[in-house]
Amino acid sequence: MPGNGNSLTGLRAAITVFFALDGFVFAGWVVRIPAIKEQTDASASALGLALLGVSAGAVVTMILTGRLCRRYGNHRVTVVCAVLLSLSVALPPLTHSALALGLVLLVFGAAYGGINVAFNSAAVDLVAALRRPIMPSFHAAFSLGGMVGAGLGALVAGSLSPTRHLLLLTVVGLLVTAVAGPVLLRHEPPAPPERERPAEDAPRRLDGRTRGLVLVFGLIAGCTAYGEGALADWGALHLEEDLDASPGAAALGYSCFALAMTVGRLTGTTLLERLGRTRTVVAGGATAAAGMLLGSLAPALWAALLGYAVTGIGLANLFPVAVERAGALAGPSGVATASTLGYGGMLLGPPAIGFMADWFSLPAALTSVAILAAVAAVIGFATRRAAAG
């Protein structure tokens, strides 16, 4: 038993590293979006369509990645996708049109979606084996990686070109994968007793009520991912264009958001053990709605940064709770459904914000994040009895 405990600890550490790497690389890309927008001379709506490539690549790849995970294992797919993610992040600054940028981001999005399915599946298996609600801790690592990546971006925005900056991310990503990859591959995925029991339980998990609940948690994940994607893709641009922030100060916006999410997720396990899932979702959605109203409409930079931070705290645990709960209800198919709906929210976010920014204004467009966060809170409250049942 001690050996098994040590094995699970090592596995948890390796999975955590890949969550952090994913956040680091993704944040490094998003803080350079304003510079790449200028480089490609794209309008807000054209940029929105180009950014659609990330989410479209991610969502389309998810079903295929699930099959690859079943055939080759979550751990192998995680390592391969980490290599692809690290290589593809260097491509966006090499483009000079919105069309080329969109095609390149399709590749980047495919790698991003693939690694997210693979390591979330690995994490759900480990959560079930450990029998503790530790899913937020993995997503905290993603947020911490995002905070570091955004912070680094803020530091180098004035001195390094996007090409050199993102090439640096490629080098870091490949080095981290070279170190953590073999560790992950040495560990066999844990097999929880629940997953080893066949037949009788499977039909009950897939009945109409259960499928409906999985869809509910998927909708919550979608509302959350919409907000995360909107802040990642448009948060820095809002600060730079609407509040006249410098590139470095604008990059700090996503860093504040990522730091707040990290804090929220690091305390997520304790929060879930004390409040339960429903109260966590309702409180988180309401907090995020208030924070994003401040972040999008405040006339001063400091107030907008505060709003981004409050939004990060509110959204922190909604996606991890949704994915974990869907997995507990319906196993891997529940995780796949909730994740796909979640990234569907990210799929809709970039172009929706872009078009609304052209029609109205970017601050007005960003208030849609607050609306959907409130929707997530309402859904969580309305389904509290069914979800507990």
Side-chain angles (χ1 to χ4, degrees):
M1 289 300 291
N4 184 54
N6 291 335
S7 175
L8 292 181
T9 300
L11 176 58
R12 181 178 181 180
I15 295 172
T16 299
V17 167
F18 281 104
F19 269 87
L21 175 63
D22 188 41
F24 176 79
V25 171
F26 187 72
W29 142 246
V30 300
V31 298
R32 300 315 296 256
I33 287 175
I36 292 174
K37 176 181 184 289
E38 184 178 347
Q39 175 181 300
T40 57
D41 196 28
S43 66
S45 55
L47 178 64
L49 287 173
L51 293 173
L52 179 66
V54 177
S55 299
V59 172
V60 170
T61 308
M62 281 180 172
I63 298 173
L64 174 62
T65 305
R67 292 173 183 169
L68 291 175
C69 286
R70 286 192 292 273
R71 182 167 182 179
Y72 299 107
N74 302 329
H75 298 175
R76 287 183 184 178
V77 177
T78 296
V79 173
V80 171
C81 287
V83 173
L84 295 176
L85 183 75
S86 300
L87 292 173
S88 61
V89 75
L91 300 177
L94 304 180
T95 63
H96 296 282
S97 71
L99 176 61
L101 178 62
L103 293 174
V104 160
L105 291 180
L106 198 63
V107 178
F108 178 67
Y112 179 72
I115 195 171
N116 272 270
V117 168
F119 62 39
N120 267 299
S121 298
V124 167
D125 287 342
L126 186 57
V127 167
L130 292 174
R131 301 178 184 277
R132 285 195 69 217
I134 62 165
M135 197 69 172
S137 71
F138 293 113
H139 290 262
F142 172 85
S143 297
L144 180 60
M147 182 190 70
V148 174
L152 177 64
L155 288 175
V156 305
S159 55
L160 278 186
S161 68
T163 302
R164 292 183 177 180
H165 175 202
L166 298 188
L167 184 60
L168 176 64
L169 298 188
T170 294
V171 173
V172 172
L174 292 176
L175 287 174
V176 171
T177 303
V179 173
V183 178
L184 184 63
L185 294 175
R186 280 199 298 268
H187 288 85
E188 287 295 321
E194 292 80 5
R195 302 270 173 91
E196 294 173 343
R197 289 180 199 146
E200 302 113 63
D201 291 339
R204 280 203 300 272
R205 284 196 215 139
L206 299 176
D207 64 16
R209 176 179 176 276
T210 300
R211 278 196 294 268
L213 286 173
V214 169
L215 289 175
V216 164
F217 285 110
L219 287 174
I220 291 174
C223 292
T224 305
Y226 179 97
E228 291 188 54
L231 271 168
D233 291 344
W234 296 101
L237 202 62
H238 165 55
L239 298 180
E240 197 169 321
E241 292 190 350
D242 299 313
L243 299 179
D244 297 322
S246 67
L252 279 175
Y254 188 73
S255 187
C256 288
F257 174 74
L259 173 60
M261 289 201 86
T262 304
V263 172
R265 286 172 169 174
L266 285 172
T267 58
T269 297
T270 301
L271 196 67
L272 284 166
E273 288 175 338
R274 291 186 178 178
L275 296 183
R277 295 181 181 92
T278 296
R279 289 180 182 174
T280 299
V281 168
V282 172
T287 300
M292 200 59 222
L293 285 176
L294 177 63
S296 58
L297 301 178
L301 177 63
W302 69 266
L305 292 176
L306 176 62
Y308 282 14
V310 173
T311 304
I313 290 173
L315 293 180
N317 294 304
L318 301 190
F319 194 94
V321 167
V323 171
E324 184 273 330
R325 187 60 179 143
L329 285 168
S333 64
V335 175
T337 299
S339 296
T340 302
L341 285 171
Y343 287 99
M346 197 173 283
L347 176 71
L348 294 173
I353 296 287
F355 284 118
M356 285 188 286
D358 274 351
W359 293 334
F360 307 108
S361 68
L362 184 52
L366 287 173
T367 61
S368 62
V369 175
I371 294 169
L372 288 183
V375 168
V378 170
I379 292 173
F381 182 75
T383 58
R384 63 195 182 282
R385 290 189 179 87

